[in-house]
Amino acid sequence: HASQVGTPKRNIQLSNIIEECSNGRRVSRLLELSPKQLEPLPIEEPKTPKRNSRLSSVGATLPSSASKGTPKSANKMKLIRDGTIKPNIHSRDAPVQDGANELAVARERLHVSATPSSLPCREKEYEEIYNFLEGKIFDGCGGCMYISGVPGTGKTATTTAVLRALKHLSEEEDIPKFEFVDINGMRLTEPRQAYVHIYRQLTGKTLAWEQAYNLLNKRFTTKAPRRITTVLLVDELDILCNKRQDVVYNLLNWPTMPTAQLIVVTIANTMDLPERLLMGKISSRLGLTRLTFQPYNFRQLQEIVMARLVGMSAFNSDAVQLVARKVAAVSGDARRALDICRRATELADDQARKSNESVTVSMIHVQQALTEMITSAKVKTIRSCSRLEQLFLQAVTAEVTRTGIEECNFLGVYSQFESLAAFSGIIVPNPGRAMAICARLAASRLLICECGKSDIYQKILLNISTDDVHFALQASKLL
Amino acid sequence: MHRRTRLSLRSSSINDKENEHEQAQLTASPRKRRSKVTDSGVKDAELPEEDGARSPKKVARKAGRPRVLPPAEEDVEELEDAAHGTGASDLVGKLPEREKEYDELVGFVEGVLSSDGSGSLYISGPPGTGKTATLQRILNHPSFAKKLKPVYINCTSIKSVGSIYKKISEELGLKVGGTTEKQYQGAIEAHLERKHKTIMLVLDEIDQLSSSKQTILYSIFEWPARPTARLILIGIANALDLTDRLLARLQARCELKPQLIQFLPYTKQQIVAILKASLEESNSLSRFPEAALGLLAAKVASTSGDIRRALFIARRLVESAKKEDRKTGSSGAPTVVSMGQVMAVLKQVYGASQTLGNDLEEGFPLQQKILICSLMLMLKHGKNKDITVGKLYDVYKAICTKRNIQAVDQTEFISLCTLVETRGIVRLQGKKEPRMHRVCLQWDEQEVTSALNDKQLIASILSDVSCLGK
């Protein structure tokens, strides 16, 4: 496509907009002009005369823009940057018809993305965040809050739920109006892009980060009597920490200004991130309002799953309890519990289709889903290795037990290999072959080999415990 | 409505100031700005000196200049009363407890001005000790405003180390021929050679300017030694020995060596005084009994001496007291902050691992408990204290098998380790292979025991030496 060939640099700067258009390659086709913004276009047209000649043909090929007499596509990037045209995705002609069976409905409801209207088991945290934000919005002052917790404990869901509730209240004019901006550290190519994203959400325009920073700084440091509070949600704070930490510094320094009326809510996984990663001056600004989300215990997980399945009989409650107990013992991650339940419904669905009768999800399905998810693929891999590979693995374990050091070199392993092979009556392959075997095992990550040096002195490490090897090979004749 | 703005902490105002100043310089043309500085400066002088960073705000409002500084009040309603009922007259223009440093700074600047030469200064101190706020007072000092051209730059706001020259020349309003770093530097140096008004260049967070060869820091600190230059250079940072460490070569020539001023952490008495002044201003002093203030100040002073913390905790307490008021209905005397509340907040803020134990009672997954217990077992009875994830996994698996618990897979185990790491109990260091990561326990045994809250399990695992193998 010519427009991309012409403006590769801009594509990079605007990475995010393009990302939002699903695949990025066909951006210009996916863009549609909203009708009211058509007026300013002719004015902007002459500003980029250079590209006009080259790209005008492209503009003509675009059906949506050509029919409305829209600008040449040289302007397209400019329009995107100004926020006059919004990216959107092709929609299906007709919605996908879903089998309206109960299991399918249950599956839909159990999807991680289907955030329920109220979050069970997070009432205390909800209350705390709500009080903090409401107080700050009422007072019209700024502040920071730090929320931490292991993945899948409902941090972002709770925070956005609070903000949704507040937004609703502010629309009904129960509380002062506020603006809401959110950035996610993982969605930025570089920490400084945070400025660009914040500015775009505030004004709709896309600028280079330096400009965006200056304008934001101006916005937050000068007094404006009619300014309304801005709530900034920073997800994955630890990604924004670069060496200089200037982005984090600025994001946390703005709220300390009275003119800014900025409330920053930061979310990260690590509990002691401010002390561990941030400089003293930054953690001093971050303040002490902290909230930790504990992992769910099995009762809570059960409640979460049951809340999603309320009014349905597709699930056996014992099955849910099994999932909850298994997950709570390991990580307390709600996403995981939901995924396992979904998988179990799929298995039940399969069975129902085969036997042509209605099936509820029971312990058997859950058990099957659990073994699928928490299964050790390594034992299987070892069992399906070729005979010589198994022998080689055994040689490595023998060498580890002999020397007592985890790290052994190829020479030692090979001599063990030789004796083991002789013992089981196999013709010993030459060292070159053995090295090939070793490389294959290293590629499947059963072994860790020192790369770069593949001579007889290379170091070999076992990436699995010796017990696993013994266990896997017990059945075979080798032991 | 916007008066509510001024609710923020005083600590915040300290920073605001710097940025606002910066902003003002960005927006206003130099001449305009100067006049504004003078304006506010004069007003500043008229005020009885009582309370520093705060005062300029109202002054500023009166003077109608964009650079404003809010007082740090803690109480909404009372604050509003104050805001409506008073003018600038009751506002005060000094930082409590930073008078000595302020006088020293004024003395330094006056000395340089009277000798008609240059001087450099380095200010150090931990975060939240009022460095920037004091500097702002100097920049707004009335008698300096006419003789000086103030340039304030916060070094975190620049793009890269080299672009500091561009920023400085923009602030000075210089015309530069090109756009390279060298040309900007040349322009500044040419400006220093011409006849010019004394420049007061304040570089906040100067440690951001350090680079591998420190060329930029050296060249900036060398400017005051130029024969024709009339420059007062002030650097601000946290490190006590930044000039000695980074700029060792300045020691060789006495005229280049910057003078040092230290801002020590606030002591208990100082924090009490500042809190009192700040509470007085918002008329909520009555909410705070003397003993509670003392307790709060003693705790903050003993740990960091950071005034932001003290103000933060005070604010939080006043807010909760206000909430109590709202609940019970506003009639009657305002709720007083009790010692118990102060203790509770302090405990929450400073006792990280103890409070963790309470939260964790039921929230700690069993497998993670076993992981930590096996680590403790290895540390206590194992021969080798250098524990990798792989070794830990072997012991963990032995323990699980013995207890008839299904052990997790190794990949799962590695993610378990990272989950425990997010709590700060262990730390993984190391090489790229996850199996070879070193596991270090970050808490001592007692803390872990109280956090896990499962003495039986711990005791049984810790006595189980046979699981160590070999």
Side-chain angles (χ1 to χ4, degrees):
Chain A
H1 210 279
S3 70
Q4 270 149 22
V5 179
T7 56
K9 260 194 175 171
R10 296 173 181 195
N11 272 350
I12 291 163
Q13 279 178 349
L14 288 166
S15 55
N16 226 57
I17 289 189
I18 287 158
E19 264 167 40
E20 284 159 20
C21 311
S22 76
N23 63 353
R25 278 187 63 231
R26 315 284 293 178
V27 189
S28 44
R29 275 184 188 282
L30 299 172
L31 297 168
E32 275 171 25
L33 297 174
S34 50
K36 61 167 182 183
Q37 270 114 8
L38 284 173
E39 287 89 335
L41 304 184
I43 310 161
E44 282 158 1
E45 212 170 340
K47 282 183 192 164
T48 51
K50 259 191 178 173
R51 296 185 186 275
N52 265 351
S53 57
R54 196 147 42 111
L55 296 166
S56 53
S57 58
V58 183
T61 61
L62 297 172
S64 64
S65 53
S67 61
K68 287 174 189 166
T70 38
K72 310 276 152 69
S73 67
N75 285 339
K76 196 133 277 172
M77 290 315 279
K78 192 171 163 40
L79 289 177
I80 295 172
R81 231 172 286 131
D82 289 344
T84 39
I85 47 180
K86 301 244 163 12
N88 56 2
I89 309 172
H90 269 309
S91 54
R92 284 178 197 274
D93 296 332
V96 184
Q97 286 301 317
D98 219 346
N101 113 29
E102 189 158 53
L103 283 174
V105 178
R107 202 158 59 228
E108 194 111 301
R109 286 206 204 163
L110 285 171
H111 196 277
V112 179
S113 68
T115 317
S117 52
S118 72
L119 292 159
C121 313
R122 284 290 178 236
E123 289 82 14
K124 215 181 92 214
E125 285 83 2
Y126 183 92
E127 193 76 0
E128 201 152 318
I129 300 173
Y130 186 89
N131 283 341
F132 173 81
L133 284 175
E134 194 198 25
K136 296 280 182 211
I137 290 171
F138 256 120
D139 296 353
C141 63
C144 297
M145 183 171 198
Y146 178 70
I147 297 171
S148 67
V150 293
T153 47
K155 302 181 293 293
T156 313
T158 311
T159 317
T160 45
V162 170
L163 283 162
R164 234 181 294 130
L166 287 171
K167 199 91 216 178
H168 186 70
L169 279 181
S170 78
E171 270 159 23
E172 300 196 337
E173 302 194 341
D174 288 338
I175 59 167
K177 278 201 160 50
F178 67 95
E179 270 182 289
F180 171 53
V181 177
D182 74 323
I183 55 171
N184 186 329
M186 291 292 255
R187 266 189 242 142
L188 309 174
T189 49
E190 206 239 347
R192 280 158 174 174
Q193 289 295 317
Y195 303 133
V196 179
H197 283 243
I198 295 169
Y199 190 75
R200 190 168 62 224
Q201 289 185 44
L202 288 175
T203 61
K205 291 193 178 70
T206 308
L207 299 173
W209 73 262
E210 236 179 326
Q211 243 177 322
Y213 167 74
N214 285 334
L215 288 168
L216 283 174
N217 201 22
K218 194 174 181 177
R219 177 191 164 98
F220 290 130
T221 49
T222 50
K223 200 176 69 158
R226 320 195 112 229
R227 172 160 305 151
I228 57 173
T229 306
T230 313
V231 179
L232 172 63
L233 174 65
V234 184
D235 214 339
E236 314 288 356
L237 178 74
D238 39 349
I239 311 289
L240 288 178
C241 298
N242 48 6
K243 198 172 148 251
R244 279 180 65 199
Q245 305 196 349
D246 51 341
V247 177
V248 189
Y249 178 90
N250 283 316
L251 288 184
L252 296 177
N253 196 21
W254 282 327
T256 61
M257 287 171 224
T259 43
Q261 299 196 25
L262 178 68
I263 306 165
V264 180
V265 181
T266 51
I267 300 180
N269 286 347
T270 318
M271 204 180 278
D272 53 351
L273 182 88
E275 284 73 32
R276 192 193 288 188
L277 204 61
L278 300 178
M279 294 176 189
K281 57 190 174 197
I282 299 174
S283 57
S284 169
R285 283 173 175 80
L286 182 58
L288 302 160
T289 318
R290 304 210 178 146
L291 180 64
T292 308
F293 279 68
Q294 298 303 337
Y296 293 110
N297 60 21
F298 82 91
R299 260 179 241 103
Q300 291 169 327
L301 284 176
Q302 205 177 342
E303 202 179 323
I304 289 167
V305 176
M306 290 316 273
R308 292 192 176 218
L309 293 172
V310 78
M312 302 185 78
S313 56
F315 248 88
N316 189 337
S317 71
D318 285 347
V320 176
Q321 190 171 8
L322 178 65
V323 173
R325 279 188 188 269
K326 282 277 180 190
V327 173
V330 176
S331 56
D333 184 340
R335 278 188 209 123
R336 187 139 198 201
L338 291 171
D339 278 342
I340 293 174
C341 288
R342 252 173 80 83
R343 180 68 194 137
T345 51
E346 276 169 14
L347 291 169
D349 214 11
D350 260 3
Q351 200 197 329
R353 214 169 289 155
K354 268 179 205 155
S355 61
N356 253 339
E357 57 193 34
S358 67
V359 175
T360 55
V361 183
S362 64
M363 293 288 259
I364 309 156
H365 303 118
V366 167
Q367 197 68 51
Q368 205 179 335
L370 278 170
T371 41
E372 263 178 33
M373 277 208 163
I374 315 179
T375 189
S376 163
K378 280 183 176 144
V379 174
K380 263 188 196 166
T381 319
I382 297 170
R383 281 195 181 141
S384 62
C385 279
S386 74
R387 190 86 183 275
L388 278 175
E389 281 169 349
Q390 288 179 342
L391 212 59
F392 193 86
L393 273 179
Q394 226 181 336
V396 177
T397 49
E399 180 69 10
V400 169
T401 355
R402 189 181 71 87
T403 55
I405 309 164
E406 276 196 83
E407 213 174 52
C408 38
N409 66 11
F410 182 80
L411 209 54
V413 174
Y414 186 69
S415 65
Q416 292 278 352
F417 185 53
E418 268 178 323
S419 51
L420 274 170
F423 189 70
S424 48
I426 301 170
I427 299 163
V428 187
N430 61 12
R433 274 285 161 77
M435 247 171 237
I437 291 170
C438 177
R440 223 168 25 243
L441 287 171
S444 64
R445 306 289 291 160
L446 289 173
L447 295 180
I448 299 168
C449 286
E450 204 182 11
C451 48
K453 207 167 78 169
S454 53
D455 56 4
I456 50 168
Y457 297 109
Q458 69 176 317
K459 285 183 180 128
I460 296 172
L461 277 162
L462 210 55
N463 198 24
I464 38 180
S465 57
T466 45
D467 294 347
D468 278 343
V469 180
H470 289 307
F471 177 70
L473 300 182
Q474 233 159 23
S476 73
K477 288 165 277 176
L478 284 168
L479 277 171
Chain B
M1 195 57 194
H2 69 267
R3 290 193 178 233
R4 281 165 175 265
T5 341
R6 285 170 297 116
L7 276 171
S8 59
L9 290 178
R10 182 154 144 273
S11 54
S12 54
S13 62
I14 292 169
N15 292 299
D16 309 339
K17 221 173 174 189
E18 57 191 64
N19 286 295
E20 269 153 32
H21 187 101
E22 195 181 335
Q23 190 48 50
Q25 292 188 334
L26 270 178
T27 49
S29 76
R31 205 191 305 141
K32 255 188 201 161
R33 201 198 57 251
R34 200 181 307 143
S35 68
K36 277 171 187 167
V37 170
T38 323
D39 200 3
S40 76
V42 171
K43 291 226 170 180
D44 238 3
E46 288 164 6
L47 297 167
E49 300 223 345
E50 286 270 280
D51 189 0
R54 233 166 287 154
S55 61
K57 158 129 193 187
K58 285 212 173 153
V59 174
R61 182 171 297 157
K62 287 266 157 178
R65 68 182 174 134
R67 190 188 324 153
V68 275
L69 233 248
E73 274 123 325
E74 272 104 23
D75 194 326
V76 195
E77 298 120 57
E78 275 135 348
L79 157 70
E80 289 209 330
D81 293 348
H84 290 302
T86 56
S89 58
D90 67 330
L91 278 173
V92 275
K94 81 170 197 183
L95 281 169
E97 310 304 331
R98 280 290 177 239
E99 284 314 297
K100 208 181 94 236
E101 283 83 357
Y102 178 72
D103 292 342
E104 206 174 320
L105 273 168
V106 171
F108 173 79
V109 177
E110 269 169 355
V112 174
L113 279 177
S114 64
S115 71
D116 211 18
S118 306
S120 60
L121 183 68
Y122 172 69
I123 299 176
S124 73
T129 45
K131 302 180 291 295
T132 309
T134 311
L135 244 289
Q136 288 292 343
R137 274 187 77 202
I138 302 279
L139 286 172
N140 294 339
H141 197 285
S143 61
F144 297 155
K146 280 176 208 145
K147 300 179 209 160
L148 283 173
K149 175 169 176 53
V151 173
Y152 176 90
I153 293 174
N154 190 332
C155 296
T156 50
S157 68
I158 55 169
K159 184 177 165 188
S160 64
V161 178
S163 61
I164 184 75
Y165 295 125
K166 186 182 172 197
K167 191 107 186 175
I168 295 173
S169 37
E170 273 170 8
E171 298 280 332
L172 289 172
L174 300 178
K175 279 195 187 108
V176 184
T179 51
T180 61
E181 193 182 306
K182 259 235 155 75
Q183 279 160 325
Y184 283 117
Q185 186 184 359
I188 297 165
E189 277 160 13
H191 179 75
L192 289 177
E193 264 162 36
R194 289 194 297 270
K195 203 169 149 53
H196 60 275
K197 205 173 176 184
T198 306
I199 300 166
M200 182 150 140
L201 176 62
V202 180
L203 298 172
D204 205 345
E205 313 289 3
I206 201 169
D207 47 347
Q208 295 272 340
L209 290 184
S210 79
S211 51
S212 63
K213 282 186 180 168
Q214 314 290 7
T215 44
I216 285 152
L217 272 180
Y218 272 120
S219 74
I220 288 176
F221 271 94
E222 179 226 53
W223 287 342
R226 287 173 174 255
T228 55
R230 296 168 68 202
L231 174 73
I232 303 171
L233 176 66
I234 302 179
I236 307 177
N238 295 135
L240 187 61
D241 58 342
L242 182 117
T243 49
D244 304 342
R245 193 159 36 89
L246 299 184
L247 303 168
R249 275 180 282 156
L250 292 183
Q251 306 289 337
R253 287 171 60 193
C254 285
E255 73 271 22
L256 288 180
K257 212 170 126 187
Q259 199 182 322
L260 298 178
I261 293 185
Q262 248 196 77
F263 278 62
L264 296 172
Y266 288 106
T267 60
K268 184 188 163 191
Q269 286 77 22
Q270 287 172 326
I271 291 177
V272 170
I274 295 170
L275 284 178
K276 265 191 186 163
S278 147
L279 290 168
E280 188 85 59
E281 197 167 322
S282 61
N283 292 327
S284 50
L285 188 57
S286 55
R287 286 181 188 276
F288 254 100
E290 187 84 8
L293 266 184
L295 177 68
L296 170 56
K299 184 71 190 181
V300 174
S302 69
T303 48
S304 59
D306 182 344
I307 196 66
R308 282 197 199 102
R309 291 206 146 189
L311 285 162
F312 171 84
I313 297 171
R315 186 193 154 91
R316 192 152 140 182
L317 287 166
V318 171
E319 266 178 3
S320 67
K322 264 179 7 195
K323 204 176 274 170
E324 203 64 27
D325 264 3
R326 243 181 267 157
K327 240 183 231 168
T328 55
S330 52
S331 61
T335 322
V336 174
V337 176
S338 71
M339 289 297 269
Q341 278 171 310
V342 179
M343 276 310 284
V345 172
L346 284 178
K347 209 172 168 192
Q348 199 189 339
V349 165
Y350 285 105
S353 60
Q354 284 95 317
T355 50
L356 193 64
N358 301 337
D359 293 340
L360 284 181
E361 260 173 59
E362 44 187 34
F364 215 118
L366 178 69
Q367 303 276 10
Q368 296 183 16
K369 273 188 198 172
I370 299 176
L371 186 154
I372 295 166
C373 289
S374 15
L375 180 61
M376 275 160 66
L377 172 70
M378 287 176 84
L379 283 172
K380 204 168 182 187
H381 297 292
K383 279 172 231 151
N384 196 352
K385 307 291 182 205
D386 184 22
I387 298 165
T388 61
V389 172
K391 279 183 191 163
L392 181 60
Y393 179 62
D394 289 344
V395 173
Y396 158 84
K397 215 169 167 188
I399 287 173
C400 278
T401 347
K402 206 163 185 190
R403 251 144 266 270
N404 255 334
I405 299 167
Q406 194 183 7
V408 296
D409 184 28
Q410 187 186 302
T411 43
E412 185 74 54
F413 184 77
I414 290 163
S415 73
L416 268 190
C417 290
T418 55
L419 287 186
V420 176
E421 193 188 14
T422 61
R423 293 180 181 280
I425 302 177
V426 300
R427 182 162 302 177
L428 300 181
Q429 290 169 333
K431 312 198 184 127
K432 57 184 178 179
E433 292 300 337
R435 196 178 153 85
M436 303 315 290
H437 282 319
R438 279 186 57 200
V439 189
C440 307
L441 195 64
Q442 295 288 313
W443 293 2
D444 66 14
E445 199 181 308
Q446 224 160 7
E447 272 179 306
V448 176
T449 318
S450 70
L452 293 189
N453 205 10
D454 194 345
K455 287 219 173 78
Q456 226 177 340
L457 181 79
I458 298 171
S460 81
I461 291 180
L462 282 191
S463 61
D464 208 347
V465 189
S466 63
C467 289
L468 281 173
K470 272 160 235 164

